[in-house]
C-alpha cells in the first residue's frame, strides 16, 4: 500500500511511501512557485519557492497534528540530493576567479571571516545568558544565517548525531528569518551610505548590470549528463572516503560527508580547467544544482515538526534580533570603511547583508536593486558572487568546526 493509516494514540496516522512522497514533494515545490508568482512580497524578498511551498505544507501538517491527524512522508532521496548540491558548491569553486578578483576579494574574505567568528561568538554567548545549550547559539549563528537553509539542514543532522540535540526545526526557522531580514535591511543600508556619499549615477541603464553568468542560457542533454556524472562521482567518492575514515579510525580526518563532497568537487573542477573539452558548462551545473537544492529543501521542510520550536520561540527571536544588529553595525561601519568608503563599498555592504543573513541570490537581488537606482558596480558584482557562492561557505565550515570542537 503506498498510503497506510495506522491506529496509535491519535485517531489517524497517514504514512506515504517513498514514491508517493516524491510525487507530493514535487507538487509542493510547484505550489511554492505558484505562491511566489501570486504574492508579490515573496518575490520581492527573493524567498525560494522551496521555502514557500515547504513551509506552507509544514503549517498544514502542523494544523492537522493539533487536530489529532498525523502525516508522514518518506523521503530517502533527501541525503543524496543534499550531497549532490554540496558537490556542486565545490564544482563552482574556480581558483582562477580568486586571482582575477585580486585584492578586493581577499579583503572581503578576511572581513567575512571576522564577521562569522563574531556571529557565532555572539550566538553562543546569548544562548548561555538565556539558559540554553551553547550549541543553540551556534545554530542561530553562522550555521543558519551565513550558511543558509542547505547548510542548516546538513549541520542539523551532524549536531543531532554528535550532541543528541534535535535542532532541525530551529535551524529552518532561523535560516528563514535571516533570509527575510537580510533582504529587508541590505538595500536601505546601502542607499543610506550612497546618499551620504552623494554618489553620481555612472550609467542610466544600470538595471542591465547582473551577476556574471554564462552567455548561454540553454543547455543540452549531453551537458546535463556530464554534470550528473560529475555530481554522482563526487557523492560516491565522498561516501567511500567517509566509510574508510571510520573503518581506519582516522579521527583527525573525520568530517561530515558533505564536507568531503565539497572538497572533491573543488579538486575536480580545477583539474578540469586543464582539459577544456571536459569542462562543465556553468549554466547546466547551476541548473542541476538549483534543482537538487530545491527538492532537498522541500523534502526537509515538509517533514518539519513545527510544534517542537514553540517553547524556544522567544529566546530564538532574541538571539536573531541581536544577530541582525551585529550585521547592521558590521556592514555599515566596518565593511564599508575597509572596502574603500566609496560607491562600490556601499553596494558590497548591501550584498553582505544579503548572504550574511540569507543567501547569495538574495545578495545579488539587493545589489541589482541598488545599481538600478544609482549606477553599475562591476567590482561589487565580482566580489560578492565569488565570495558568497563558495569561499564564504568554506570559511564558515572551518569556523563552525572550530567552535564545535571547543563546545565538545
Amino acid at each position: 500500500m503506498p498510503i497506510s493509516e495506522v491506529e496509535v494514540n491519535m485517531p489517524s496516522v497517514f504514512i506515504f511511501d517513498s514514491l508517493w512522497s516524491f510525487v507530493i514533494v514535487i507538487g509542493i515545490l510547484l505550489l511554492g512557485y505558484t505562491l511566489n508568482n501570486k504574492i508579490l512580497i515573496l518575490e520581492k524578498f527573493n524567498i525560494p519557492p522551496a521555502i514557500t511551498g515547504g513551509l506552507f505544507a509544514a503549517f498544514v501538517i502542523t494544523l492537522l497534528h493539533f487536530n489529532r491527524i498525523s502525516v508522514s512522508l518518506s523521503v530517502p532521496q533527501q541525503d543524496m540530493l543534499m550531497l549532490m548540491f554540496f558537490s556542486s558548491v565545490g564544482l563552482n569553486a574556480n581558483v582562477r576567479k580568486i586571482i582575477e578578483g585580486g585584492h578586493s576579494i581577499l579583503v572581503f574574505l578576511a572581513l567575512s571571516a571576522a564577521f562569522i567568528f563574531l556571529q557565532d561568538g555572539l550566538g553562543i554567548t546569548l544562548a548561555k545568558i538565556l539558559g540554553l545549550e551553547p550549541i543553540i547559539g551556534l545554530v542561530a549563528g553562522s550555521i543558519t544565517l551565513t550558511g543558509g537553509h542547505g547548510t542548516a539542514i546538513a549541520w542539523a543532522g551532524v549536531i543531532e548525531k554528535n550532541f543528541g540535540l534535535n535542532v532541525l526545526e530551529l535551524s529552518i526557522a532561523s535560516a528563514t528569518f535571516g533570509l527575510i531580514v537580510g533582504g529587508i535591511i541590505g538595500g536601505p543600508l546601502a542607499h543610506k551610505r550612497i546618499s551620504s556619499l552623494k554618489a553620481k549615477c555612472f550609467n542610466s541603464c544600470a538595471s542591465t548590470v547582473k551577476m556574471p553568468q554564462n552567455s548561454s542560457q540553454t543547455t543540452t542533454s549531453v551537458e546535463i549528463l556530464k554534470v550528473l556524472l560529475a555530481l554522482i562521482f563526487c557523492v560516491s567518492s565522498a561516501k567511500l572516503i567517509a566509510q574508510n575514515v571510520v573503518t581506519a579510525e582516522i579521527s583527525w580526518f573525520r568530517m561530515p560527508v558533505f564536507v568531503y563532497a565539497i572538497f572533491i568537487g573543488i579538486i575536480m573542477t580545477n583539474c578540469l580547467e586543464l582539459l577544456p573539452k571536459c569542462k562543465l558548462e556553468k549554466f547546466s551545473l547551476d541548473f542541476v544544482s538549483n534543482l537538487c537544492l530545491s527538492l532537498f529543501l522541500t523534502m526537509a521542510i515538509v517533514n518539519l515538526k513545527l510544534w517542537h520550536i514553540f517553547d524556544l520561540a522567544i529566546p530564538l527571536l532574541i538571539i536573531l534580533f541581536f544577530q541582525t544588529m551585529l550585521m547592521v553595525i558590521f556592514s555599515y561601519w566596518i565593511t564599508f570603511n575597509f572596502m574603500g568608503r566609496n560607491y562600490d563599498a556601499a553596494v558590497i555592504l548591501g550584498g553582505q547583508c544579503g548572504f550574511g543573513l540569507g543567501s547569495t541570490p538574495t545578495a545579488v537581488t539587493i545589489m541589482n536593486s541598488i545599481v538600478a537606482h544609482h549606477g553599475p558596480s562591476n567590482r561589487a558584482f565580482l566580489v560578492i558572487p565569488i565570495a558568497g557562492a563558495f569561499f564564504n561557505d568554506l570559511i564558515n565550515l572551518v569556523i563552525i568546526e572550530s567552535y564545535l570542537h571547543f563546545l565538545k
Side-chain angles (χ1 to χ4, degrees):
M1 291 280 298
I3 307 172
S4 60
E5 183 176 344
V6 183
E7 294 296 328
V8 288
N9 294 328
M10 307 181 122
S12 300
V13 177
F14 294 95
I15 302 173
F16 294 83
D17 69 12
S18 59
L19 189 58
W20 275 105
S21 294
F22 199 30
V23 171
I24 293 170
V25 164
I26 294 174
I28 291 170
L29 180 56
L30 291 173
L31 174 64
Y33 279 101
T34 301
L35 291 174
N36 276 18
N37 289 333
K38 299 291 185 181
I39 304 173
L40 294 180
I41 193 170
L42 297 175
E43 193 71 26
K44 179 180 179 180
F45 292 127
N46 202 40
I47 307 300
I51 306 296
T52 305
L55 285 177
F56 180 87
F59 277 119
V60 171
I61 290 173
T62 299
L63 290 175
L64 292 174
H65 169 81
F66 286 115
N67 283 280
R68 300 175 62 80
I69 300 173
S70 178
V71 177
S72 178
L73 301 181
S74 174
V75 283
Q77 310 92 340
Q78 182 177 327
D79 287 342
M80 177 70 171
L81 290 167
M82 178 190 75
L83 292 174
M84 289 177 70
F85 165 70
F86 279 104
S87 297
S88 72
V89 172
L91 289 169
N92 266 313
N94 192 324
V95 175
R96 179 172 53 84
K97 291 182 178 179
I98 285 193
I99 298 173
E100 291 176 2
H103 179 262
S104 295
I105 291 179
L106 294 177
V107 171
F108 186 74
L109 288 175
L111 290 170
S112 294
F115 174 74
I116 293 170
F117 183 82
L118 292 173
Q119 195 175 53
D120 285 336
L122 176 63
I124 292 171
T125 301
L126 289 172
K128 289 181 177 179
I129 292 173
L130 294 169
L132 304 175
E133 289 285 343
I135 199 73
I136 299 298
L138 198 59
V139 170
S142 72
I143 286 179
T144 59
L145 300 179
T146 295
H149 288 85
T151 302
I153 295 169
W155 277 109
V158 175
I159 291 171
E160 183 173 13
K161 180 180 179 181
N162 296 334
F163 293 87
L165 296 174
N166 182 4
V167 296
L168 180 59
E169 287 78 15
L170 289 175
S171 299
I172 295 297
S174 179
T176 303
F177 176 93
L179 189 73
I180 296 170
V181 173
I184 292 173
I185 69 173
L189 288 176
H191 286 305
K192 184 172 176 58
R193 274 299 188 189
I194 293 168
S195 297
S196 66
L197 289 171
K198 295 182 179 178
K200 295 180 180 179
C201 180
F202 297 104
N203 188 339
S204 61
C205 298
S207 60
T208 60
V209 179
K210 303 288 183 183
M211 177 177 173
Q213 296 179 346
N214 190 290
S215 58
S216 172
Q217 294 299 301
T218 59
T219 187
T220 65
S221 58
V222 173
E223 294 298 332
I224 295 293
L225 285 173
K226 286 165 62 177
V227 170
L228 289 174
L229 174 63
L231 292 176
I232 295 173
F233 175 83
C234 290
V235 171
S236 302
S237 301
K239 288 187 173 182
L240 181 63
I241 292 173
Q243 291 171 358
N244 289 331
V245 167
V246 172
T247 302
E249 298 182 349
I250 309 174
S251 58
W252 62 269
F253 196 57
R254 187 172 297 177
M255 293 180 286
V257 180
F258 72 87
V259 177
Y260 297 122
I262 290 175
F263 280 106
I264 293 170
I266 297 171
I267 295 170
M268 175 179 286
T269 194
N270 285 283
C271 288
L272 291 178
E273 283 292 308
L274 304 175
L275 303 169
K277 292 185 178 180
C278 297
K279 288 174 61 175
L280 300 177
E281 200 267 321
K282 178 96 170 50
F283 180 77
S284 300
L285 177 59
D286 290 343
F287 177 85
V288 176
S289 173
N290 289 335
L291 180 60
C292 290
L293 177 61
S294 295
L295 289 170
F296 155 56
L297 287 180
T298 306
M299 289 176 179
I301 295 171
V302 76
N303 270 329
L304 288 180
K305 295 176 174 58
L306 296 179
W307 52 91
H308 286 174
I309 71 172
F310 293 157
D311 292 339
L312 286 174
I314 299 302
L316 181 64
L317 285 175
I318 291 173
I319 295 174
L320 294 175
F321 170 79
F322 281 100
Q323 292 286 20
T324 303
M325 293 300 100
L326 174 64
M327 172 57 80
V328 170
I329 293 169
F330 192 95
S331 63
Y332 193 80
W333 295 104
I334 298 176
T335 298
F336 178 76
N337 287 319
F338 274 88
M339 293 307 295
R341 295 182 56 84
N342 54 24
Y343 174 68
D344 287 329
V347 180
I348 288 172
L349 88 81
Q352 185 183 35
C353 291
F355 79 75
L357 290 177
S359 66
T360 302
T362 302
V364 174
T365 301
I366 291 170
M367 295 193 300
N368 270 331
S369 175
I370 295 167
V371 300
H373 289 88
H374 300 284
S377 173
N378 292 331
R379 180 169 166 243
F381 277 85
L382 176 65
V383 171
I384 293 296
I386 292 175
F390 168 73
F391 295 104
N392 198 59
D393 290 338
L394 183 58
I395 294 170
N396 191 26
L397 169 65
V398 173
I399 294 175
I400 290 171
E401 286 280 12
S402 301
Y403 271 108
L404 285 175
H405 181 76
F406 174 77
L407 292 174
K408 282 184 179 178

